[in-house]
């Protein structure tokens, strides 16, 4: 089962992706998490990505395609994978389609989490994120210990107001058109209303993938 999660920053892709991991028993790959881990570790990948990420811009397609390739060729994704925020440009969608063709695996569904900008700004400005396991929290102060792993909650640099505005512009300009690209290339695309309780949104996502 290969599922792509699309939607603006703050729509809940990460949180719902985790729930799908539990429900479906397949791992999740989130390029944002891979890149943040690389920044934290100070690797070459992290050094290259950091400036783009802090500004709220997209990291170059070449970098993302490399992460995608590694993820899809890993034995851990042999039974399936949930791709969270991995496809954000048409070039990345084309790259994914080519890789799936090569390994003869179908794309099951693209889930598009839909939500308005006002709610996104409210969510992102009130969000802290664990610097170790990336779990997001609403309304919990920076510096608090993560209840899940003991890491420290921080405000992501790109959740600051300017970067949020930039990320929403980038989403509208570069990622929203990817939805049309998938439709035009015959993929099953399902829209999930992302406003509601976590359980309500999860139920909608499961219904959209026929579970
Ligand atoms: P996220 O955690 O998904 O909000 O991603 C955080 C940041 O990582 C984004 O604002 C981008 O700078 C970068 N990033 C993550 N995934 C991608 C992608 N598929 N293409 C380009 N940049 C990405």
């Amino acid at each position: 089962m290969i599922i792509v999660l699309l939607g603006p920053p703050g729509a809940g892709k990460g949180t719902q992706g985790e729930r799908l991991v539990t429900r479906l028993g397949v791992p999740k790959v989130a390029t944002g998490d891979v890149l943040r881990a690389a920044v934290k570790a100070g690797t070459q990948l992290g050094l290259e990505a950091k400036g783009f990420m802090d500004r709220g811009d997209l990291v170059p397609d070449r970098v993302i395609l490399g992460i995608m390739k590694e993820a899809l060729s890993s034995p851990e994704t042999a039974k399936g994978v949930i791709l969270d925020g991995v496809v954000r440009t048409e070039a990345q969608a084309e790259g994914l389609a080519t890789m799936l063709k090569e390994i003869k695996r179908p794309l099951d569904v693209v889930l598009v989490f839909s939500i308005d900008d006002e709610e996104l700004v409210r969510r992102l400005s009130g969000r802290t994120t664990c610097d170790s396991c990336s779990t997001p929290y609403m309304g919990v102060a920076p510096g608090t210990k993560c209840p899940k792993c003991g890491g420290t909650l921080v405000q992501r640099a790109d959740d600051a107001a300017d970067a949020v505005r930039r990320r929403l512009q980038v989403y509208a300009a570069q990622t929203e058109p990817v939805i049309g690209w998938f439709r035009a290339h015959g993929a099953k695309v399902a829209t999930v209303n992302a406003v509601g309780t976590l359980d309500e949104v999860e139920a909608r996502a499961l219904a959209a993938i026929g579970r």
Side-chain angles (χ1 to χ4, degrees), residues 9 31-33 35-36 52-53 56-59 64 85-88 92 156 158 167:
T31 29
D33 291 348
L35 293 168
R36 272 185 294 280
F52 295 101
M53 295 175 77
D57 281 329
L58 293 183
V59 168
I64 301 298
V86 174
V87 185
R88 291 190 179 179
Q92 293 175 20
R156 278 171 47 174
D158 60 353
R167 287 160 72 201

Side-chain angles (χ1 to χ4, degrees), residues 2-180:
I2 297 182
I3 300 176
V4 167
L5 306 185
L6 266 181
K13 300 183 298 295
T15 304
Q16 293 299 332
E18 278 307 323
R19 288 180 166 225
L20 292 176
V21 165
T22 310
R23 291 279 183 174
L24 306 176
V26 296
K28 177 176 88 124
V29 172
T31 29
D33 291 348
V34 172
L35 293 168
R36 272 185 294 280
V39 169
K40 198 172 171 199
T43 63
Q44 186 58 39
L45 172 65
L47 292 176
E48 186 174 355
K50 188 174 186 317
F52 295 101
M53 295 175 77
D54 285 350
R55 285 192 301 276
D57 281 329
L58 293 183
V59 168
D61 289 329
R62 171 184 49 79
V63 173
I64 301 298
L65 290 171
I67 298 173
M68 236 188 240
K69 189 156 197 144
E70 204 176 314
L72 288 172
S73 55
S74 151
E76 283 171 24
T77 62
K79 285 205 182 119
V81 64
I82 294 160
L83 298 172
D84 162 11
V86 174
V87 185
R88 291 190 179 179
T89 64
E90 290 192 4
Q92 293 175 20
E94 276 165 20
L96 174 65
T98 305
M99 285 177 211
L100 291 179
K101 210 166 165 188
E102 274 168 19
I103 58 176
K104 297 190 174 61
R105 292 172 69 183
L107 171 59
D108 290 272
V109 61
V110 178
L111 292 185
V112 181
F113 289 84
S114 88
I115 182 168
D116 63 42
D117 280 8
E118 230 172 86
E119 172 68 8
L120 291 176
V121 172
R122 193 189 67 76
R123 284 190 188 182
L124 293 172
S125 57
R127 170 168 93 167
T128 46
T129 304
C130 176
D131 70 350
S132 179
C133 71
S134 290
T135 301
Y137 295 89
M138 284 302 297
V140 183
T144 307
K145 291 277 166 236
C146 173
K148 213 167 148 188
C149 78
T152 304
L153 305 192
V154 294
Q155 187 187 42
R156 278 171 47 174
D158 60 353
D159 281 348
D162 282 355
V164 166
R165 266 193 293 277
R166 177 74 193 138
R167 287 160 72 201
L168 293 178
Q169 281 169 358
V170 167
Y171 179 78
Q174 298 189 61
T175 307
E176 240 172 355
V178 176
I179 301 168

